[in-house]
């Protein structure tokens, strides 16, 4: 099956570039359009509402750094600026939402091998698979990369 529009979701960690390169290569061989997405989790979600600090400046800096990294990665892979997406929220909710918004027929993301308690608690990948209206390709990411 040939895909027409891929959405690669990255966390901007060390393995993100490898995932994006694999997805871009797949898009080229299938003559598909590629979009790249990063989700910034608001500090209030990450650390809970118990924070009694004004985190707006820190959140703004996180967003700016994410935009810079995302733009740089997209430029290195010849992904047009209008195909770069930065969203805020929970990845398992936002990734399928952006995929629907752009009409993606494949979501590509990285997945760590999980064992024990991590497996029982679920992962972002599991959440995306459950919520997505299209196929999802999970690329295995080793913890050392």
């Amino acid at each position: 099956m040939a895909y027409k529009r891929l959405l690669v979701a990255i966390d901007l960690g060390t393995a993100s570039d490898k995932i994006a390169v694999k997805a871009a290569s797949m898009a080229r061989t299938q003559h598909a359009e590629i979009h790249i997405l990063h989700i910034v989790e608001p500090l209030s979600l990450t650390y809970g509402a118990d924070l009694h600090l004004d985190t707006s400046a820190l959140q703004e800096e996180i967003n700016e750094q994410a935009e810079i990294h995302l733009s740089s990665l997209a430029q290195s892979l010849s992904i047009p600026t209008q195909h770069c997406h930065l969203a805020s929220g929970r990845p398992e909710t936002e990734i399928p939402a952006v995929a629907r918004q752009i009409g993606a027929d494949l979501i590509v993301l990285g997945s760590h091998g999980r064992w024990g308690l991590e497996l029982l608690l679920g992962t972002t990948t599991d959440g995306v698979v459950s919520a997505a209206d299209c196929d999802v390709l999970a690329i295995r990411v080793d913890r050392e990369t």
Side-chain angles (χ1 to χ4, degrees):
M1 173 180 190
Y3 294 102
K4 294 182 173 125
R5 186 170 295 133
L6 282 64
L7 174 65
V8 58
I10 57 172
D11 65 5
L12 301 179
T14 56
S16 292
D17 291 1
K18 291 179 184 177
I19 294 164
V21 167
K22 284 184 179 184
S25 175
M26 182 180 188
R28 275 192 300 278
T29 60
Q30 296 197 12
H31 305 288
E33 183 178 287
I34 185 169
H35 291 251
I36 193 165
L37 166 68
H38 174 66
I39 307 297
V40 176
E41 290 190 69
L43 291 172
S44 60
L45 287 178
T46 306
Y47 295 104
D50 294 336
L51 281 178
H52 299 292
L53 303 169
D54 179 11
T55 58
S56 58
L58 180 57
Q59 188 73 60
E60 190 174 315
E61 177 66 24
I62 291 168
N63 290 352
E64 287 175 12
Q65 290 301 314
E67 280 186 48
I68 290 168
H69 189 137
L70 191 62
S71 176
S72 173
L73 180 59
Q75 185 176 11
S76 72
L77 296 172
S78 300
I79 297 172
T81 303
Q82 65 269 26
H83 290 187
C84 293
H85 307 275
L86 188 63
S88 179
R90 295 197 177 277
E92 61 273 12
T93 303
E94 296 302 320
I95 294 168
V98 171
R100 278 189 287 280
Q101 182 181 29
I102 66 167
D105 51 1
L106 178 67
I107 298 170
V108 180
L109 42 71
S111 180
H112 295 280
R114 304 287 186 195
W115 300 98
L117 186 58
E118 288 178 281
L119 179 62
L120 293 174
L121 293 175
T123 65
T124 298
T125 304
D126 295 333
V128 171
V129 169
S130 297
D133 295 336
C134 62
D135 291 345
V136 178
L137 173 63
I139 296 175
R140 172 75 184 224
V141 176
D142 294 323
R143 292 177 192 247
E144 293 82 39
T145 59

